[in-house]
Amino acid sequence: MSRRRIGFWYRLAAFLLKPPLRVFFRRDWRGMEHIPENGGFITVVNHNSALDPLSYAHFQYNTGRVPRFLAKVSLFRGGLLGVMLRGMGQIPVFRESKDAIGAFRAAVEAVNKGECVAFYPEGTLTREPGMWPMKGKTGAARVALATKAPVIPVAQWGANLAVPPYPKRGDIKLLHRQILTVQAGPPVDLSEFYGQEATAAVLREVTERIMDAITTELSEIRGEPAPTARFDYRNTAEPTGQQAEQQAAPTQRSPRDAGAPGAAEGENA
């Protein structure tokens, strides 16, 4: 099987969701030529708004290669949403349980069957003060090494200007009709890691390479350099502003060094 058919449930979701997205947002889709026409592949996407899964899904749907997302298992339980998620073939994640490995196996199987699996490697909405990608989890790296499939970095910006992460009253501004920019880049070169044992150190290095690639694409969209240090919210206590920048993990190089060796889980662990 070379690619996944779009199917009824994906088409229904597009029918329901694309019209309001077109009403509230303008679109700027870039880099569609980097999405493989056939064969399995992985996309890795930044996460800075509760709405950005919709903008990314809209972009990906328009390429003709629909993604399978990893999503927490509670979303699959009952109601129309659960029916639609199951119908679209999305992959449930059982966090912190003996069934958690099932998501990894399902992702590997999907990629090997010629499908696209999408990861949000940060695992949650960004808490980085400037809304840059945070330190990633290793799920995408694990699947990438197991399948050797192309890993396509995708960055997006715009949904966060309408619905920022963790918004307070008055922060949501849907009527301003922001531009949703989604940009896919060339595949991340991970060939030097193929054949190596997937140790913690290797997975960390592959993940950093992936996060660098996403950050490079986002830096191009925003037209500004990214921080030289990768923010790790797990090492902070709800920091904000300058305090958060001071507490950012000081181990990350500039995203412009993404090609260097050593560069570079949540909803998508």
Side-chain angles (χ1 to χ4, degrees):
M1 179 177 179
S2 61
R3 60 190 296 169
R4 180 180 178 83
R5 296 173 62 88
I6 292 179
F8 168 78
W9 288 106
Y10 242 117
R11 294 187 187 278
L12 176 62
F15 175 79
L16 294 174
L17 296 173
K18 287 174 73 171
L21 286 173
R22 286 172 173 163
V23 169
F24 290 111
F25 297 96
R26 292 172 288 166
R27 294 173 295 162
D28 181 8
W29 295 164
R30 308 176 186 179
M32 284 185 170
E33 68 274 11
H34 295 302
I35 302 299
E37 293 185 5
N38 292 286
F41 65 102
I42 297 161
T43 54
V44 285
V45 193
N46 69 311
H47 196 13
N48 56 28
S49 171
L51 286 183
D52 67 42
L54 300 182
S55 57
Y56 160 68
H58 190 180
F59 167 88
Q60 185 83 16
Y61 182 91
N62 283 11
T63 71
R65 300 299 311 273
V66 294
R68 291 183 68 180
F69 290 92
L70 281 76
K72 56 187 179 182
V73 68
S74 60
L75 296 177
F76 291 77
R77 293 171 180 157
L80 178 61
L81 177 61
V83 172
M84 293 184 70
L85 289 175
R86 291 190 294 273
M88 289 187 286
Q90 312 302 10
I91 299 171
V93 176
F94 299 81
R95 298 184 186 177
E96 299 179 359
S97 78
K98 64 182 181 180
D99 296 319
I101 192 64
F104 167 77
R105 290 173 177 164
V108 169
E109 180 181 4
V111 172
N112 285 337
K113 289 170 61 178
E115 302 178 21
C116 168
V117 175
F119 284 84
Y120 284 89
E122 296 166 273
T124 187
L125 284 163
T126 185
R127 290 176 170 84
E128 203 280 335
M131 287 192 270
W132 293 96
M134 302 185 296
K135 185 175 181 179
K137 297 185 179 181
T138 60
R142 292 175 186 274
V143 177
L145 295 183
T147 62
K148 299 181 176 62
V151 177
I152 309 299
V154 180
Q156 50 186 343
W157 187 258
N160 55 295
L161 302 179
V163 182
Y166 315 105
K168 298 178 182 178
R169 181 174 296 182
D171 288 346
I172 297 177
K173 300 174 181 178
L174 287 175
L175 299 181
H176 289 222
R177 204 158 190 262
Q178 302 288 348
I179 298 174
L180 294 179
T181 302
V182 183
Q183 176 169 309
V188 184
D189 183 6
L190 301 176
S191 57
E192 69 187 84
F193 300 103
Y194 297 157
Q196 295 188 33
E197 182 182 356
T199 63
V202 167
L203 291 171
R204 186 79 265 142
E205 197 170 0
V206 172
T207 300
E208 289 299 314
R209 184 76 61 87
I210 287 170
M211 298 310 299
D212 274 346
I214 298 170
T215 304
T216 297
E217 298 302 323
L218 183 59
S219 182
E220 184 174 320
I221 291 173
R222 295 175 61 170
E224 57 184 298
T228 57
R230 182 82 66 211
F231 183 78
D232 185 355
Y233 78 92
R234 289 164 292 190
N235 291 338
T236 66
E238 299 299 327
T240 59
Q242 184 177 5
Q243 179 188 10
E245 295 179 0
Q246 292 172 345
Q247 293 182 1
T251 58
Q252 178 62 32
R253 293 179 299 282
S254 165
R256 297 303 177 188
D257 298 329
E265 298 161 69
E267 281 126 322
N268 287 335

